[in-house]
């Protein structure tokens, strides 16, 4: 068991915020045992075996004695590692400075975003606090923090952690739900054996994932190189240099509106979520009411090119060709439609737009925020459009398609390898937390003994706090945080 919390005298004069540390409930709150627990194992919750702490908000206004300190947030926490090359600062009263200090082997868990993503704070020097988008878990003696870290990843991979999250638009993990998270806990020596075995297996899987990532990056770079070489800038002297408006007709799709969600003329339509680079996904089509005259205006024809009108900057203008399947489909104003004029092959237009996407040309015309930008029809119309003779367009398109088809054959292999690695990761976790990854040792002290010891020491310190309340606030605070 950890010794009482070390705190500076200024910290001891200030009672901690009511929502900072939460006392765990009685171990009997685990109302039903897991079936078929291995020998020496027991069912418990995160709140029973650890001290948990909310992160710090910067919301003190005119409070005196404010200091500015370094802090980490969820952007610093990755699965199994913490990146501290860039950290933010936060203002905090001096009296609460020690409450949010990170100690070696603290487990940091993301509250929002990739819920449950967690990593262990390393043995580093210097002060560091954690912000309110993280939960801090500090396990008691007899609990291996690596075991808890892998348990959080297991819960995330299995989808069970989502059951503990709340919120409709933005999902997040509350302190109460985190503390109620149930787990099967083996004896301490077995916890360490499981963690060591998982570290060994995951190291091999991580190496495989890294290799696949390198292959994917090379495929992407090779694709970019092929596209840039196929449509060179500046263009050859015998090519025409025109604008998109001169090469074809650009139209904006129909705006969505609640009044159009129902009606007698429901038609499927494409939106940003359906249009990827050189690929249209029609597995999730939505419908809208299109009166006949409107449908004819927004109806897609075979070989129309669709470009993302609104996207994050790196995907702005992402193009794909509609190839007539499914038939009778329209498009919304989150997309732009390009219909080639005589003298321009639709396949060539797609090649030019893909080249502009990879070269960052569309970003130069973007307007919006750092997270969502827009490419208006007016701005697309003025983008440069190289136009070689038709016969040369045909030759270049055929050559590029041959090259891209060759390297895209790697895509199914890469996808299958990633899926297999994910399945192996999940299977290893399942076996580990069911007690089947490493052998049991009858000489190990049952975890129930450790849980009884935690219960007894917590009860003792709770009684000490009640006795000292009102007489010695400084000592009481130190004991209450234990």
């Amino acid at each position: 068991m950890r010794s009482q919390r070390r705190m500076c005298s200024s910290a001891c004069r200030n009672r901690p915020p009511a929502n900072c540390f939460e006392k765990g409930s009685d171990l009997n709150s685990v109302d039903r045992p897991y079936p078929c627990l291995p020998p020496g194992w027991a069912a418990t919750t995160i709140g029973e075996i650890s001290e948990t702490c909310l992160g710090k908000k910067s919301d003190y206004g005119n409070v005196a004695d404010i200091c500015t300190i370094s802090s980490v947030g969820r952007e610093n926490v990755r699965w199994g590692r913490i990146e501290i090359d860039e950290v933010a600062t936060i203002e905090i009263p001096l009296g609460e400075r020690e409450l949010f200090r990170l100690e070696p082997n603290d487990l940091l868990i993301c509250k929002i975003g990739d819920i449950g993503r967690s990593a262990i704070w390393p043995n580093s020097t210097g002060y560091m606090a954690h912000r309110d988008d993280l939960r801090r878990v500090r396990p008691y003696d007899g609990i291996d923090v690596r075991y808890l870290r892998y348990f959080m990843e297991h819960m995330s991979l299995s989808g069970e952690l989502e059951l503990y999250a709340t919120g409709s638009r933005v999902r997040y993990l509350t302190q109460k739900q985190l503390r109620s998270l149930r787990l099967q806990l083996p004896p301490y020596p077995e916890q360490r054996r499981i963690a060591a075995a998982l570290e060994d297996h995951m190291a091999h899987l991580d190496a495989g994932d890294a290799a696949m990532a390198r292959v994917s990056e090379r495929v992407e770079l090779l694709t970019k190189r092929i596209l840039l070489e196929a449509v060179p800038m500046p263009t050859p002297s015998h090519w025409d240099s025109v604008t998109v408006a001169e090469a074809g007709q650009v139209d904006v799709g129909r705006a969505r509106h609640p009044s159009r969600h129902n009606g007698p003329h429901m038609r499927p339509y494409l939106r940003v979520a359906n249009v990827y680079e050189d690929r249209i996904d029609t597995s999730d089509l939505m419908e809208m009411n299109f009166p006949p005259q409107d449908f004819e205006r927004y109806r897609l024809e075979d070989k129309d090119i669709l470009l993302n009108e609104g996207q994050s900057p790196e995907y702005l203008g992402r193009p794909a060709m509609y190839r007539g399947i499914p038939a009778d489909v329209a498009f919304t104003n989150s997309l732009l439609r390009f219909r080639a004029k005589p003298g321009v092959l639709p396949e060539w237009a797609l090649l030019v737009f893909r080249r502009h996407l990879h070269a960052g040309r569309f970003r130069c015309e973007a307007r919006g925020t750092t997270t969502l930008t827009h490419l208006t029809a007016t701005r697309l119309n003025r983008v440069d459009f190289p136009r070689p003779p038709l016969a040369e367009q045909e030759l270049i398109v055929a050559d590029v398609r041959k090259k891209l088809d060759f390297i895209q054959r790697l895509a199914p292999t890469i996808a299958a390898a990633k899926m297999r690695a994910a399945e192996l990761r999940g299977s290893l976790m399942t076996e580990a937390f069911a007690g089947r990854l490493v052998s049991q040792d009858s000489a190990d002290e049952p975890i129930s003994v450790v849980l009884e010891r935690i219960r007894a020491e917590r009860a003792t310190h709770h009684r000490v706090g009640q006795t000292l309340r009102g007489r010695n606030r400084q000592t009481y605070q130190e004991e209450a945080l234990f």
Side-chain angles (χ1 to χ4, degrees):
M1 177 66 73
R2 296 180 184 270
S3 61
Q4 65 184 26
R5 188 67 53 230
R6 298 184 302 274
M7 303 180 64
C8 64
S9 58
S10 60
C12 294
R13 288 192 295 269
N14 296 275
R15 186 177 180 83
N19 69 337
C20 178
F21 289 93
E22 296 186 10
K23 303 297 290 182
S25 58
D26 192 282
L27 288 172
N28 291 327
S29 63
V30 183
D31 53 3
R32 64 185 187 280
Y34 283 90
C36 304
L37 284 174
W41 289 46
T44 184
T45 64
I46 294 293
E48 310 296 350
I49 59 174
S50 64
E51 174 192 277
T52 62
C53 181
L54 302 176
K56 183 70 191 71
K57 291 184 178 180
S58 185
D59 56 358
Y60 280 89
N62 296 323
V63 175
D65 298 327
I66 292 288
C67 62
T68 301
I69 59 175
S70 299
S71 63
V72 293
R74 66 187 177 96
E75 70 276 8
N76 303 105
V77 176
R78 296 290 176 261
W79 281 114
R81 73 182 192 279
I82 297 178
E83 299 174 350
I84 55 174
D85 294 337
E86 296 183 7
V87 296
T89 58
I90 190 171
E91 292 184 342
I92 184 173
L94 287 173
E96 295 181 7
R97 190 175 186 273
E98 293 301 307
L99 299 179
F100 300 98
R101 177 192 290 273
L102 293 177
E103 296 184 0
N105 294 324
D106 282 346
L107 181 65
L108 296 176
I109 300 174
C110 290
K111 161 190 168 183
I112 58 176
D114 188 2
I115 298 173
R117 189 175 68 218
S118 55
I120 301 169
W121 184 247
N123 294 315
S124 62
T125 59
Y127 180 93
M128 190 73 71
H130 65 294
R131 299 195 297 277
D132 64 330
D133 53 1
L134 293 175
R135 307 297 191 204
R136 188 185 74 196
V137 172
R138 187 170 289 168
Y140 296 127
D141 283 354
I143 310 300
D144 190 291
V145 67
R146 298 173 303 160
Y147 182 90
L148 295 186
R149 211 287 293 168
Y150 281 118
F151 171 74
M152 295 303 301
E153 186 171 356
H154 167 61
M155 293 293 285
S156 177
L157 288 174
S158 65
E160 293 183 46
L161 194 59
E162 180 64 25
L163 302 177
Y164 288 80
T166 188
S168 54
R169 296 184 62 184
V170 178
R171 304 286 287 169
Y172 63 96
L173 185 65
T174 67
Q175 179 89 326
K176 181 179 179 180
Q177 291 298 86
L178 173 62
R179 292 181 63 81
S180 69
L181 196 61
R182 289 164 54 85
L183 73 157
Q184 302 180 83
L185 195 63
Y188 180 64
E190 190 172 345
Q191 293 176 43
R192 300 188 64 181
R193 293 197 297 272
I194 290 173
L198 285 174
E199 283 179 345
D200 182 58
H201 289 301
M202 296 305 169
H204 289 88
L205 289 176
D206 290 343
D209 288 343
M212 287 298 102
R214 289 192 296 270
V215 172
S216 297
E217 183 178 1
R218 289 172 183 170
V219 167
E220 184 176 345
L221 290 174
L222 184 56
T223 299
K224 179 178 180 178
R225 179 179 175 181
I226 291 172
L227 293 171
L228 295 182
E229 290 180 351
V231 188
M233 293 288 186
T235 60
S237 58
H238 65 286
W239 289 17
D240 292 333
S241 294
V242 299
T243 64
V244 170
E246 295 173 294
Q249 178 181 333
V250 176
D251 295 298
V252 182
R254 189 173 190 240
R256 290 184 286 182
H257 190 273
S259 64
R260 297 167 179 167
H261 291 174
N262 296 285
H265 305 287
M266 300 300 290
R267 296 281 191 174
Y269 64 85
L270 297 179
R271 61 196 195 282
V272 166
N274 303 113
V275 178
Y276 297 83
E277 184 182 356
D278 196 28
R279 177 173 68 89
I280 294 179
D281 180 6
T282 59
S283 62
D284 180 27
L285 294 183
M286 301 179 72
E287 292 188 340
M288 182 163 47
N289 185 50
F290 284 89
Q293 65 275 16
D294 285 348
F295 184 66
E296 287 306 313
R297 177 182 176 185
Y298 297 107
R299 182 179 182 178
L300 293 173
E301 295 182 2
D302 187 28
K303 296 191 176 181
D304 281 346
I305 309 297
L306 294 172
L307 302 95
N308 290 178
E309 186 275 341
Q311 256 291 7
S312 53
E314 65 271 24
Y315 298 125
L316 189 67
R318 186 169 60 184
M321 180 183 291
Y322 172 69
R323 302 182 186 276
I325 301 174
D328 297 329
V329 174
F331 68 110
T332 68
N333 63 345
S334 62
L335 297 171
L336 298 171
R337 178 181 65 190
F338 175 86
R339 188 167 286 171
K341 292 180 179 179
V344 175
L345 293 176
E347 294 82 2
W348 171 255
L350 177 61
L351 190 58
V352 171
F353 293 143
R354 292 185 69 186
R355 183 264 174 207
H356 285 343
L357 172 70
H358 285 274
R361 179 64 182 85
F362 292 135
R363 292 192 192 186
C364 300
E365 304 296 332
R367 287 296 180 270
T369 65
T370 56
T371 57
L372 181 62
T373 53
H374 294 276
L375 178 66
T376 65
T378 300
R379 292 183 177 278
L380 176 60
N381 272 324
R382 68 191 189 192
V383 169
D384 41 298
F385 190 99
R387 187 176 61 186
L390 270 175
E392 194 169 348
Q393 291 180 35
E394 292 177 349
L395 290 174
I396 295 174
V397 166
D399 181 61
V400 169
R401 177 53 58 192
K402 181 179 179 180
K403 292 176 180 177
L404 292 181
D405 283 347
F406 177 77
I407 65 173
Q408 285 302 317
R409 292 173 190 170
L410 293 173
T413 302
I414 295 172
K418 290 181 178 178
M419 183 176 296
R420 179 58 178 162
E423 292 173 350
L424 284 173
R425 196 177 295 269
S427 297
L428 283 168
M429 296 285 189
T430 299
E431 293 298 295
F433 295 104
R436 296 190 293 265
L437 186 62
V438 300
S439 60
Q440 278 87 42
D441 188 341
S442 59
D444 291 342
E445 179 184 60
I447 196 63
S448 58
V449 177
V450 175
L451 297 179
E452 288 289 345
R453 190 157 55 238
I454 291 173
R455 174 195 296 166
E457 297 213 23
R458 256 200 340 224
T460 299
H461 285 279
H462 180 64
R463 286 195 296 272
V464 170
Q466 289 180 329
T467 302
L468 296 175
R469 186 174 301 168
R471 294 193 299 108
N472 189 332
R473 178 64 59 88
Q474 176 174 327
T475 305
Y476 170 67
Q477 178 168 321
E478 292 181 352
E479 297 292 346
L481 293 179
F482 181 63

